[in-house]
Amino acid sequence: MRKNDFDPSLLHDLENLELPAAPMDDEEWNRVLSAARGQVHTARPRPRKARPRPIWHWVRGTVAAAAACVLVLGGVNAANPAFAESLPLVGTLFSRINRAEDTHLRSEQLNQYAQTVEQTAESAAGPYTVTLGQIYRDEDWMRLSLVLTVEDDSLAGFDTIRADAGGSMPLDTAEASGALVLENGAAILEEGSGWFTRQDDHTFVMGLNYPLFLYEEDGPLSGETVTMNLYGLVACNVEVLEEETHPWGGSYQQLEYHDETPLKGDYTLTFTIPEPGTEGIRTFTGPEEENGVTLHSLTATPAAAKLDIQVPAEGSIQPKLTTEDGTLLKPERGEGVHVDENDSNSDYRWTYYFDTVPEDCRNVTVAVYNIVDYESPDGYEVLAEFTVPLS
């Protein structure tokens, strides 16, 4: 069966969420029902707060009516992880629990644009060395490239090293493995889970991503000194039990870990957050409109593809990005708001992030799907499709 690594602190916070003080009216009840059926778009916008807050601050700040049904979703996830990951508000959390997302935003062209650092950390408790080799930053994200090396053959039988402390999230996020701790004690959490992947018997590499745009409301983070502590490393082999990619690009996996072996040692790295890079960035600026969908812009940096799009409020909208040769760009996350914040029926303006566009790709196709039935192979319709040039 799939590894069960639910976080006890997660369950504790869910049990202590404040429920609505008054019964739900018809509008609220319909919204919760449509959410449970997967008919509302994933994830309402998260507040862009700097000087990070624990992840559960975001959960408590969402719709009160949805909070009332969160407590039962653990069972839903166990029975049907694909459905749980598609739910509004909590789908991203279940994706993290299920190890469903590949959130590294991998990019081969980062090598020519990234800043070389070569900071090394060792631990007397183990024979391993962790090196921060490169940093790349665009206007929204910062990506770190880490290398773990060992001189002996103790890791020769493993294909993966988890760097997420077993998947648990401490109540004090500054103590999370992989978190960036600023000099004032605030923490910047990585997006997704950290994984070292095998290059050879003695070398494992990992990319970590940090959504700095969630933390810069109080001012830019460029020039800030941060400290990262990696601990709780676990070498293992990973078996994919089930994997599915939907026509619109969303996907999930069920994984099982084998031969889990904890690695001794804690590793501390200190560095300075760089200014956003300006090279290697290509853009398309609209607007282009089709069937109620407005494509405002598409920006491709060496770290990510950023889509600015406006869609009707009703339905469950999912965008899909493909390159000229048909390569699917994996979706990362979405942040959205109503165009008219006082009108819940007004269009949504979304910013979506995807895996980066290869540098030799000059045109990207943006397809916008309305998902009618997540469980049906043909339970969707294409609302709009744009092929846009990047320059």
Side-chain angles (χ1 to χ4, degrees):
M1 62 181 294
R2 181 167 52 87
K3 178 178 174 65
N4 182 13
D5 57 358
F6 291 93
D7 179 7
S9 66
L10 179 152
L11 298 177
H12 171 78
D13 278 298
L14 285 177
E15 289 173 356
N16 288 278
L17 287 176
E18 297 180 4
L19 301 182
M24 291 182 289
D25 59 27
D26 290 342
E27 182 179 353
E28 290 172 325
W29 180 244
N30 289 335
R31 182 163 60 243
V32 171
L33 283 180
S34 62
R37 293 171 183 144
Q39 295 175 348
V40 177
H41 187 75
T42 181
R44 289 192 57 172
R46 294 178 178 178
R48 295 176 54 151
K49 293 297 183 183
R51 302 305 183 257
R53 303 184 177 190
I55 191 169
W56 291 111
H57 170 85
W58 296 338
V59 175
R60 293 189 182 102
T62 55
V63 180
C69 66
V70 166
L71 297 176
V72 302
L73 292 179
V76 173
N77 185 55
N80 191 336
F83 175 69
E85 290 164 13
S86 73
L87 289 176
L89 307 177
V90 294
T92 299
L93 299 179
F94 286 121
S95 292
R96 183 182 178 95
I97 292 170
N98 297 335
R99 299 294 186 270
E101 292 180 302
D102 177 3
T103 54
H104 291 172
L105 296 178
R106 293 185 176 92
S107 170
E108 293 181 359
Q109 66 250 33
L110 274 177
N111 288 335
Q112 61 180 308
Y113 298 110
Q115 169 186 332
T116 300
V117 181
E118 298 298 337
Q119 296 245 356
T120 296
E122 298 179 346
S123 174
Y128 315 107
T129 299
V130 175
T131 301
L132 171 60
Q134 292 179 314
I135 301 175
Y136 177 80
R137 183 185 172 192
D138 62 21
E139 63 177 2
D140 294 324
W141 296 87
M142 181 170 66
R143 175 173 173 175
L144 309 181
S145 175
L146 301 178
V147 181
L148 183 145
T149 56
V150 58
E151 293 185 0
D152 60 26
D153 293 327
S154 59
L155 298 179
F158 300 101
D159 56 30
T160 299
I161 299 173
R162 297 204 314 272
D164 58 359
S168 62
M169 177 63 67
L171 289 178
D172 180 359
T173 54
E175 297 180 359
S177 182
L180 303 181
V181 182
L182 284 79
E183 291 179 322
N184 65 3
I188 301 173
L189 296 178
E190 65 178 283
E191 184 85 345
S193 302
W195 294 70
F196 285 98
T197 56
R198 184 178 184 273
Q199 293 289 291
D200 55 48
D201 288 350
H202 305 280
T203 310
F204 290 73
V205 298
M206 174 172 66
L208 293 178
N209 274 305
Y210 296 86
L212 297 189
F213 64 95
L214 291 176
Y215 299 88
E216 291 193 307
E217 189 174 89
D218 291 344
L221 291 169
S222 300
E224 294 270 6
T225 298
V226 293
T227 299
M228 178 176 64
N229 180 246
L230 285 178
Y231 67 93
L233 304 183
V234 179
C236 61
N237 292 306
V238 180
E239 178 185 0
V240 179
L241 299 181
E242 185 178 354
E243 186 173 21
E244 180 179 351
T245 299
H246 298 293
W248 55 89
S251 63
Y252 80 98
Q253 293 178 325
Q254 291 187 19
L255 306 179
E256 185 172 87
Y257 304 134
H258 302 285
D259 311 315
E260 293 182 276
T261 303
L263 304 185
K264 295 180 180 179
D266 294 352
Y267 305 88
T268 301
L269 295 159
T270 300
F271 60 94
T272 300
I273 296 178
E275 295 282 347
T278 58
E279 295 182 321
I281 298 175
R282 295 171 293 152
T283 61
F284 164 81
T285 302
E288 285 199 12
E289 299 183 28
E290 182 181 331
N291 200 23
V293 176
T294 303
L295 173 60
H296 289 284
S297 66
L298 177 64
T299 302
T301 79
K306 179 180 181 180
L307 177 67
D308 180 358
I309 198 165
Q310 186 172 320
V311 299
E314 68 274 6
S316 180
I317 306 299
Q318 299 282 358
K320 175 183 177 181
L321 265 61
T322 52
T323 63
E324 294 166 320
D325 62 2
T327 300
L328 176 69
L329 300 181
K330 291 184 179 180
E332 167 67 14
R333 67 176 297 145
E335 306 282 336
V337 295
H338 281 292
V339 173
D340 182 351
E341 63 180 12
N342 298 314
D343 182 4
S344 61
N345 294 317
S346 65
D347 285 357
Y348 260 108
R349 180 102 177 234
W350 286 92
T351 299
Y352 288 99
Y353 296 94
F354 293 80
D355 201 357
T356 188
V357 180
E359 197 163 35
D360 60 356
C361 176
R362 299 302 174 190
N363 297 283
V364 175
T365 298
V366 181
V368 180
Y369 290 72
N370 179 37
I371 314 304
V372 179
D373 184 353
Y374 278 85
E375 299 301 313
S376 174
D378 58 354
Y380 63 90
E381 58 180 344
V382 178
L383 290 182
E385 186 171 283
F386 310 94
T387 298
V388 298
L390 294 173
S391 60

